Amino acid sequence: MSLALALSSTVLISGCGMLPGGDDTRTVTVWLMRGSASPEFVERFTEDFEKEHDDIDLDIRIQEWTGIGAKVKKALKDEDGDGPDVIEVGNTQVAQYVDEGGLYDLTLESARDLGMDDWLPGLAEPGRYRGAQYGIPWYAANRVVIYNKKLFEEAGIKRPPRTRAEWIADTEKLNTGGNQGIYLAGQDWYTLAGFIWDEGGDLATETKESSGDWRGTLHTPAALRGMEFYRQLQALGNGPRDADEEHPAQAGVFAGGDVAQIVAVPGAARAIEEKNPELKGKLGYFPVPGKAAGKPGAVFTGGSDLVVPDRSDDHKGAVEVIEALVGKKWQTDLARTMNYVPNKAKLAPAVAGEEGAAAMAVGAANGRATPNSPRWAAVEADNPIKGYMTKVLTGGDPAAEARKASARITRALRLGGV
């Protein structure tokens, strides 16, 4: 799922470069989401692509996230051939669109031309459905730990923790003198998911490959270990146990100056500094620590994939556009322009000069996505994971509450509703 959230009207950005008379050119229409790429990036890409492909006229249209699901579904059923040829979608949305029909199978192109062996797993896996590749990874963004350098220094912590054990120990030192060692809301289920994955568990699993029979797995020993670590960490601060990280917004809480750490995307630093300019230049970033040094903790990978409607009348042109967007040149440009993580770990040096993005890129190498069920959106709509977390954090029996939540997840994935 992509992290851009701004709301405004659809904008049309058309490229120049049509040959005189236009007789030998064809138009490839691309839908990109608002906030995923700057207007300057779109302009640079369009100009360069049309110079390299003088038979293609690019028509890049910027879409809004609000209502995009229904708009994409309608476009995938367009029988007139007038719809988009390439669509940017949230990485976790691909399975739903494939299940409902209308996406072009890009498996051959992925293996032959698009470098699929090097893709970040958190982007590649949700783009794959029933053994075929439909979504091509474009960019990623994931959570890191944002910390207050001054509070770390005052606590005598000279470097960020590299393991879970060090993280707990350091956070205990920071949780003194009226300061919160960490602000972690009780229902931050994306962060919990990472701890569960680190333990070898999952939120839900498919009982048999390609069967479509999904079951909630919060009650497994591995998932319960992840919840126990979350409980220990969350207790080292005053985060609400019955709300998520947006209620109240954790960036605003951190801006108060007495919170040592939050788990968030690096972009949250802008909101923090806007609320408290005195913190500008005093924020640091490190990857979510894993169980052992040398391997960061697992994190949920948000971001976008590029898909091609099956009804597009120019699959070849669509693939050429995607090949350019996901290639080294434009991946590097996009990452530096937007502070994103490139779609391949080997391209991470592109953001080495940006502390937040660099920490994000380290974590992305161990990134994951939510269960790749076309009905996962039904789980999130009335999320039983959040209620389960609150029950445990307020003294409920973890195993018993986990079994209840797993049962609700199973019902949602079978029936499409909790």
Side-chain angles (χ1 to χ4, degrees):
M1 64 186 282
S2 185
L3 303 181
L5 299 174
L7 306 178
S8 53
S9 61
T10 299
V11 175
L12 173 62
I13 304 177
S14 296
C16 301
M18 183 174 290
L19 295 176
D23 295 336
D24 299 322
T25 63
R26 62 198 198 273
T27 298
V28 174
T29 302
V30 181
W31 284 7
L32 299 181
M33 301 308 300
R34 184 170 303 284
S36 291
S38 68
E40 294 77 15
F41 173 89
V42 172
E43 183 177 353
R44 289 195 301 272
F45 176 77
T46 299
E47 181 179 356
D48 184 83
F49 183 86
E50 290 182 344
K51 284 181 179 177
E52 296 291 327
H53 303 78
D54 57 11
D55 58 336
I56 294 178
D57 183 35
L58 270 188
D59 179 2
I60 298 182
R61 304 184 181 190
I62 306 302
Q63 308 295 317
E64 305 299 334
W65 284 104
T66 300
I68 191 59
K71 191 170 184 178
V72 169
K73 291 175 186 178
K74 182 179 179 181
L76 295 180
K77 298 182 185 304
D78 180 8
E79 297 182 0
D80 298 329
D82 296 329
D85 301 292
V86 177
I87 308 174
E88 175 195 349
V89 300
N91 61 323
T92 61
Q93 298 171 343
V94 178
Q96 179 182 350
Y97 293 137
V98 177
D99 189 62
E100 295 177 356
L103 288 189
Y104 180 63
D105 185 344
L106 293 163
T107 307
L108 176 61
E109 291 83 356
S110 298
R112 185 187 61 204
D113 305 318
L114 302 175
M116 66 185 302
D117 291 340
D118 298 322
W119 289 338
L120 293 174
L123 289 180
E125 290 170 4
R128 190 177 302 121
Y129 191 68
R130 298 286 184 260
Q133 193 75 38
Y134 293 91
I136 306 303
W138 191 27
Y139 69 82
N142 51 265
R143 288 161 176 76
V144 301
V145 182
I146 302 177
Y147 70 99
N148 185 316
K149 292 180 178 180
K150 179 182 178 182
L151 296 184
F152 267 57
E153 182 180 346
E154 290 176 350
I157 301 171
K158 300 184 182 303
R159 60 167 175 76
R162 295 172 295 180
T163 66
R164 277 193 189 178
E166 290 181 0
W167 196 14
I168 290 289
D170 287 349
T171 304
E172 288 175 339
K173 292 179 184 178
L174 292 158
N175 196 40
T176 58
N179 294 326
Q180 295 186 58
I182 188 169
Y183 180 87
L184 183 59
Q187 296 182 350
D188 187 350
W189 70 278
Y190 282 123
T191 296
L192 170 65
F195 299 159
I196 290 174
W197 292 329
D198 270 345
E199 294 291 348
D202 212 331
L203 307 176
T205 58
E206 199 169 14
T207 55
K208 293 182 180 179
E209 187 177 356
S210 300
S211 72
D213 183 18
W214 286 84
R215 297 183 182 181
T217 52
L218 291 176
H219 61 289
T220 61
L224 288 170
R225 290 194 299 271
M227 183 65 223
E228 172 56 20
F229 179 75
Y230 190 98
R231 186 194 64 77
Q232 294 176 31
L233 189 65
Q234 199 272 340
L236 298 175
N238 300 322
R241 290 176 287 183
D242 59 351
D244 62 26
E245 63 275 19
E246 293 301 323
H247 300 90
Q250 62 179 351
V253 177
F254 188 93
D258 59 354
V259 173
Q261 308 168 88
I262 57 172
V263 181
V265 294
R270 288 193 294 272
I272 293 167
E273 292 171 354
E274 286 175 3
K275 290 182 176 295
N276 186 354
E278 291 183 5
L279 288 176
K280 192 166 186 177
K282 298 177 182 178
L283 304 180
Y285 312 82
F286 58 88
V288 173
K291 297 181 71 175
K295 184 177 181 180
V299 289
F300 168 72
T301 301
S304 288
D305 282 11
L306 300 171
V307 300
V308 176
D310 200 32
R311 294 184 184 274
S312 165
D313 59 5
D314 194 352
H315 290 156
K316 181 177 182 295
V319 171
E320 288 179 4
V321 172
I322 290 176
E323 187 174 5
L325 282 170
V326 305
K328 180 178 180 180
K329 177 179 179 178
W330 292 104
Q331 279 290 293
T332 299
D333 190 310
L334 184 69
R336 290 174 176 168
T337 300
M338 305 299 296
N339 281 340
Y340 291 148
V341 178
N343 63 2
K344 299 175 181 177
K346 65 183 181 181
L347 297 179
V351 293
E354 297 290 337
E355 186 181 357
M360 193 163 56
V362 173
N366 197 25
R368 296 276 297 273
T370 49
N372 199 21
S373 164
R375 294 190 177 94
W376 183 255
V379 176
E380 294 192 28
D382 186 19
N383 199 326
I385 305 172
K386 290 184 172 184
Y388 156 65
M389 296 171 74
T390 294
K391 290 285 189 180
V392 174
L393 295 176
T394 54
D397 178 67
E401 297 300 337
R403 283 193 294 271
K404 294 176 187 177
S406 289
R408 291 186 65 198
I409 291 172
T410 299
R411 288 196 296 273
L413 294 179
R414 286 179 175 174
L415 304 175
V418 180

